[in-house]
């Protein structure tokens, strides 16, 4: 079995630049299959269905998607001004696929401001498409480098032999290479650390059971899957020395959106005096969102709770289900936010503003 974080890019550009190739994460851990995606509707569906998932990975996918669409319009002979108009429609359509992870709109805005610049400077449609392709590759390469830095900073806070709790999946599948929340564990393994990792299975879509367990096992990290409601017992028994999670949007005051269930884990960690660390790239910080109350929480289909994983339905016909996909962890519960720009600590309003100011 190979190391996913060394060998697998969950998304990449096809050799001819006409499609985004994406590992279909809905099929893991049982099947490794790739989608070849070239139209806006398929791109939207890939994000919405969670075939492509994890905040940074969605951002990288969005960057490549705009490059692919631009090339397609240029190849059809559209003039640059028309390509720009079409891309604006596509970007706003893709942006509506998932509302909580800021990396999606961050990458789309970055691509669209480049497209506008190309048009203003009189680029042909073909040259505009090449620039967007280069920018998509830069977004991807930056994410690889950011993940590596986050892994190094995160590892500096851990000790050999620590028991670590994770929630959802913030590894190579959700990002590029080392991941964010799992980065310190993968890097630590390379450096000879032995961690004991407990992965919350992460109801209802089981990213912890299906994806984190898959990644960590392949990397040879000692790993145990638990149901979400077992974390408290493990903490009480002294099995957990730190909690590591990724993030989908960090508000200016440090409140952080992540997979549903994360805030409950943070509350438990505070009760038991266990440090709760959030790991993510600077592109996940959203200075235009003042607090967690301003973060829009995605609500998903009720079928994900009662029927989709079972041979027979597990809730009575007609019973109501509520399925918010994320929650917000209050900044007061977070021991540190570990970014590629360093380890940020409270007061977060100041440390985040300083980190963001370093580079635009
Ligand atoms: O719904 P998902 O699977 O996209 O949710 C993913 C998470 O909540 C991750 O923890 C987050 O995106 C960070 S990924 C590095």
């Amino acid at each position: 079995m190979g190391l996913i974080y060394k060998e697998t890019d969950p998304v990449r550009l096809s050799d001819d630049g006409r499609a985004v190739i994406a590992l279909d994460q809905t099929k893991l851990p049982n099947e490794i299959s790739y989608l070849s995606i070239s139209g806006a509707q398929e791109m939207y569906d890939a994000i919405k269905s969670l075939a492509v998932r994890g905040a940074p990975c969605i951002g990288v996918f969005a960057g490549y998607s705009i490059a692919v669409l631009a090339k397609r319009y240029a190849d059809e002979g559209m003039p640059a001004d028309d390509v720009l108009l079409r891309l604006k429609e596509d970007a706003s359509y893709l942006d509506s696929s998932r509302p909580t992870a800021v990396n999606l709109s961050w990458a789309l805005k970055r691509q669209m401001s480049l497209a506008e610049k190309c048009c203003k400077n009189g680029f042909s449609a073909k040259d505009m498409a090449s620039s967007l392709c280069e920018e998509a590759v830069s977004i991807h390469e930056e994410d690889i480098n950011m993940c590596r830095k986050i892994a190094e900073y995160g590892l500096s806070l851990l000790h050999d032999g620590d028991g670590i709790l994770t929630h959802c999946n913030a590894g190579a599948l959700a990002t590029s290479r080392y991941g964010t929340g799992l980065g310190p564990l993968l890097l630590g393994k390379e450096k000879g650390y032995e961690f004991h990792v407990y992965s919350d299975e992460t109801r209802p879509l089981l990213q912890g059971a299906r994806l984190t367990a898959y990644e960590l096992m392949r990397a040879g990290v000692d790993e145990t899957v638990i149901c979400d409601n077992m974390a408290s017992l493990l903490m009480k028994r002294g099995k957990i020395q730190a909690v590591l999670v990724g993030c989908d949007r960090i508000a200016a005051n440090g409140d952080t959106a992540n997979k549903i269930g994360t805030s409950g884990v943070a509350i438990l960690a505070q009760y038991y005096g266990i440090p709760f660390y959030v790991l993510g790239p600077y592109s996940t910080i959203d200075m235009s969102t003042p607090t967690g109350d301003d973060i829009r929480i995605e609500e998903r289909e009720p079928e994900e709770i009662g029927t989709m994983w079972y041979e027979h339905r597990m809730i009575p016909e007609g019973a109501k289900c509520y399925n918010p996909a994320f929650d917000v962890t209050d900044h007061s519960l977070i021991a540190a936010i570990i970014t590629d720009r360093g380890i940020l600590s409270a007061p977060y309003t100041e440390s985040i503003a300083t980190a963001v100011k370093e580079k635009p």
Side-chain angles (χ1 to χ4, degrees):
M1 284 204 291
L3 297 171
I4 302 200
Y5 69 100
K6 292 260 162 96
E7 292 162 12
T8 308
D9 277 321
V11 300
R12 66 178 172 81
L13 198 61
S14 66
D15 292 342
D16 63 6
R18 292 200 163 90
V20 195
I21 308 296
L23 177 62
D24 184 351
Q25 299 195 35
T26 62
K27 302 270 190 328
L28 288 172
N30 299 315
E31 189 184 319
I32 297 179
S33 62
Y34 288 86
L35 303 164
S36 174
I37 304 169
S38 51
Q41 167 88 58
E42 296 164 275
M43 289 161 185
Y44 178 99
D45 291 344
I47 302 173
K48 183 87 188 167
S49 68
L50 270 57
V52 174
R53 52 150 296 282
C57 181
I58 297 171
V60 173
F61 179 76
Y64 282 133
S65 295
I66 294 296
V68 163
L69 293 167
K71 179 166 172 51
R72 179 170 164 174
Y73 301 143
D75 288 350
E76 283 169 9
M78 245 184 233
D81 285 346
D82 290 356
V83 174
L84 180 63
L85 287 178
R86 284 293 291 275
L87 290 181
K88 275 185 182 164
E89 282 169 22
D90 293 334
S92 114
Y93 174 56
L94 293 180
D95 200 20
S96 68
S97 58
R98 293 197 82 190
T100 306
V102 71
N103 311 60
L104 172 61
S105 51
W106 173 85
L108 291 170
K109 271 185 212 141
R110 182 163 158 175
Q111 285 292 55
M112 290 317 297
S113 81
L114 176 63
E116 290 202 10
K117 214 154 79 196
C118 290
C119 251
K120 235 185 241 157
N121 291 336
F123 279 37
S124 67
K126 201 163 162 259
D127 289 345
M128 183 202 279
S130 309
S131 299
L132 290 168
C133 180
E134 279 167 28
E135 191 72 358
V137 171
S138 301
I139 292 173
H140 194 175
E141 281 171 357
E142 284 168 27
D143 196 50
I144 293 171
N145 295 331
M146 290 191 292
C147 286
R148 171 71 198 204
K149 283 192 190 143
I150 291 167
E152 282 166 9
Y153 285 125
L155 185 58
S156 73
L157 297 171
L158 305 179
H159 307 97
D160 193 20
D162 276 353
I164 308 288
L165 180 71
T166 67
H167 191 76
C168 196
N169 170 264
L173 295 167
T175 62
S176 307
R177 311 290 159 91
Y178 282 88
T180 55
L182 298 189
L185 308 175
L186 298 170
L187 185 63
K189 180 72 192 173
E190 283 177 15
K191 291 181 186 274
Y193 288 66
E194 288 300 333
F195 297 119
H196 309 286
V197 183
Y198 296 90
S199 312
D200 278 346
E201 65 173 351
T202 317
R203 287 275 293 153
L205 291 176
L206 308 178
Q207 290 92 333
R210 293 188 301 113
L211 309 176
T212 298
Y214 178 71
E215 285 193 40
L216 291 180
M217 276 184 69
R218 287 178 63 141
V221 176
D222 179 43
E223 212 266 343
T224 306
V225 177
I226 59 168
C227 298
D228 299 339
N229 50 9
M230 296 171 186
S232 171
L233 181 76
L234 288 175
M235 288 183 180
K236 189 179 169 68
R237 289 186 174 168
K239 300 278 190 200
I240 310 290
Q241 279 66 54
V243 180
L244 303 184
V245 297
C247 47
D248 286 83
R249 191 181 294 248
I250 302 173
N253 72 342
D255 291 350
T256 297
N258 192 50
K259 181 51 55 194
I260 190 74
T262 303
S263 70
V265 176
I267 292 165
L268 287 176
Q270 187 174 66
Y271 181 82
Y272 288 109
I274 298 164
F276 178 92
Y277 297 121
V278 169
L279 300 94
Y282 84 94
S283 51
T284 311
I285 297 173
D286 180 9
M287 294 306 278
S288 69
T289 297
T291 74
D293 290 343
D294 306 297
I295 298 176
R296 195 173 141 211
I297 302 292
E298 174 186 4
E299 286 183 26
R300 296 183 61 88
E301 295 305 312
E303 288 70 33
E304 290 178 353
I305 295 180
T307 54
M308 112 174 230
W309 300 107
Y310 305 108
E311 197 179 341
H312 305 291
R313 70 166 29 251
M314 280 295 147
I315 51 168
E317 194 85 54
K320 285 186 226 149
C321 283
Y322 175 50
N323 188 15
F326 298 93
D327 61 22
V328 174
T329 299
D330 193 89
H331 61 274
S332 64
L333 299 168
I334 300 172
I337 300 176
I338 301 162
T339 73
D340 51 297
R341 295 184 180 182
I343 299 173
L344 312 184
S345 44
Y348 289 112
T349 307
E350 277 105 87
S351 57
I352 288 176
T354 309
V356 168
K357 243 184 261 152
E358 270 173 34
K359 285 183 230 158

